[in-house]
Amino acid sequence: DGGITQSPKYLFRKEGQNVTLSCEQNLNHDAMYWYRQDPGQGLRLIYYSQIVNDFQKGDIAEGYSVSREKKESFPLTVTSAQKNPTAFYLCASSIVQGWETQYFGPGTRLLVL
Amino acid sequence: AQSVTQLGSHVSVSEGALVLLRCNYSSSVPPYLFWYVQYPNQGLQLLLKYTSAATLVKGINGFEAEFKKSETSFHLTKPSAHMSDAAEYFCAVSDLQGAQKLVFGQGTRLTINP
């Protein structure tokens, strides 16, 4: 079955530590996205990528970094500079051309120890 | 810039009653509009989308939404609520400028009372 996988489901970060969230898709989509979800604030865009080896900052990119070395993969690193990382992180993908639906993964919940 | 306002962070209805979730948008160009549903601790699933074809859009699970340009609204309705409809619902807007970026509303949590 085609879809988006995110791992791990839960992730714990110690203070000063960088952690990486995985996102993989087998939908053959060109575009991929990372969102952060906090209670009562909807989804906010962190980074997005329309093509391999290219990505753009979203609305809340500070303290995060990404890479897009393969079409299928778009990992997100939460760096120690992100002072409030506790949130639910959602990865999505879509066909670039046109205004197609974004398909979402199951999410990763990041907690700070 | 686009924006979305969902009126009511929490909506509670009785099983079998009408469901109405409100969404108003702001966009300087013709918008594309989406409703997504999120069950606890899961990702988002598309319910329906408006892409300038028919103004009344039918989606999954018996939901539909009507695009009203004069009111800049895209409210979501379902004639008869079911217990399984309890979830959080997000309205989102995109347009034809630049990258396909969705702007989401803050969400409405729907509770169904037996």
Side-chain angles (χ1 to χ4, degrees):
Chain A
D1 289 337
I4 301 177
T5 57
Q6 291 186 241
S7 61
K9 187 174 178 66
Y10 295 94
L11 185 58
F12 297 91
R13 193 190 90 165
K14 296 179 181 178
E15 191 171 340
Q17 185 182 41
N18 292 354
V19 293
T20 297
L21 285 62
S22 170
C23 178
E24 303 277 334
Q25 56 99 358
N26 61 3
L27 299 168
N28 200 33
H29 287 168
D30 286 306
M32 297 187 74
Y33 312 80
W34 274 106
Y35 293 92
R36 171 178 171 142
Q37 184 177 20
D38 296 281
Q41 295 193 45
L43 277 69
R44 294 181 289 169
L45 183 64
I46 304 173
Y47 269 97
Y48 64 101
S49 168
Q50 291 181 283
I51 195 168
V52 174
N53 293 322
D54 187 47
F55 48 83
Q56 287 78 40
K57 293 182 179 180
D59 301 318
I60 56 164
E62 186 175 351
Y64 300 97
S65 66
V66 294
S67 62
R68 187 85 186 276
E69 297 177 1
K70 298 188 299 182
K71 186 176 183 178
E72 302 80 20
S73 178
F74 191 41
L76 173 74
T77 296
V78 183
T79 75
S80 57
Q82 173 49 245
K83 298 306 180 185
N84 184 25
T86 297
F88 192 50
Y89 291 87
L90 289 161
C91 178
S93 72
S94 70
I95 300 170
V96 175
Q97 297 301 320
W99 310 102
E100 299 294 333
T101 302
Q102 288 190 16
Y103 294 88
F104 284 80
T108 292
R109 188 166 297 281
L110 177 60
L111 301 166
V112 177
L113 294 177
Chain B
Q2 314 113 295
S3 67
V4 174
T5 301
Q6 290 185 240
L7 299 177
S9 58
H10 291 90
V11 171
S12 181
V13 302
S14 297
E15 190 174 18
L18 171 72
V19 175
L20 171 60
L21 304 182
R22 300 177 187 273
C23 173
N24 288 89
Y25 70 90
S26 171
S27 178
S28 57
V29 297
Y32 281 26
L33 294 157
F34 303 78
W35 274 101
Y36 282 86
V37 61
Q38 184 182 35
Y39 298 100
N41 295 311
Q42 295 186 24
L44 275 67
Q45 178 184 4
L46 180 73
L47 273 178
L48 49 82
K49 65 179 180 181
Y50 166 77
T51 57
S52 75
T55 57
L56 182 62
V57 182
K58 294 187 182 298
I60 62 172
N61 301 337
F63 284 93
E64 63 182 34
E66 185 173 8
F67 173 69
K68 291 187 177 180
K69 183 178 179 181
S70 61
E71 298 178 6
T72 61
S73 69
F74 190 57
H75 301 332
L76 181 71
T77 60
K78 181 174 180 178
S80 178
H82 191 273
M83 295 299 290
S84 61
D85 294 328
E88 189 149 22
Y89 292 80
F90 292 93
C91 183
V93 63
S94 180
D95 63 34
L96 299 177
Q97 294 181 341
Q100 186 203 0
K101 293 170 59 177
L102 288 183
V103 174
F104 286 85
Q106 295 188 337
T108 297
R109 183 167 298 280
L110 177 64
T111 301
I112 311 297
N113 301 312

